[in-house]
Amino acid sequence: MAGDADLGVLEQLAPVLGLHTADLFAMVGADVPDALAPADTTAGSLVPYLVRHTVALPPEKKDALRKFVASLPQEESVAYS
């Protein structure tokens, strides 16, 4: 388990690498802080799988995936209680 200092480094490193902070946490197997966790709790279990496979894609496939994701409709974040 990563310590608080390690988590701080991940938070600073993510934008430098061009990654979302939650994605970097998932890639290294760290618990994603509640503030960064997806609002849809059912989505979270597949994030590490998705990120690991995405990292392995060749650059042109990553670009295609990035464009596809950017084209998806955006929804307002909903707080669950």
Side-chain angles (χ1 to χ4, degrees):
M1 180 131 169
D4 289 342
D6 296 332
L7 298 180
V9 170
L10 291 176
E11 289 175 347
Q12 294 175 352
L13 186 59
V16 173
L17 296 173
L19 298 169
H20 292 283
T21 306
D23 294 342
L24 185 55
F25 273 69
M27 288 185 341
V28 300
D31 291 333
V32 177
D34 289 341
L36 299 176
D40 179 357
T41 55
T42 61
S45 64
L46 295 176
V47 170
Y49 171 84
L50 177 64
V51 171
R52 277 193 299 274
H53 284 77
T54 302
V55 168
L57 290 173
E60 65 276 4
K61 296 288 185 179
K62 287 180 189 175
D63 288 339
L65 178 60
R66 194 174 292 118
K67 288 176 184 174
F68 171 72
V69 171
S71 75
L72 294 172
Q74 300 295 307
E75 295 183 20
E76 290 294 322
S77 183
V78 177
Y80 294 94
S81 47

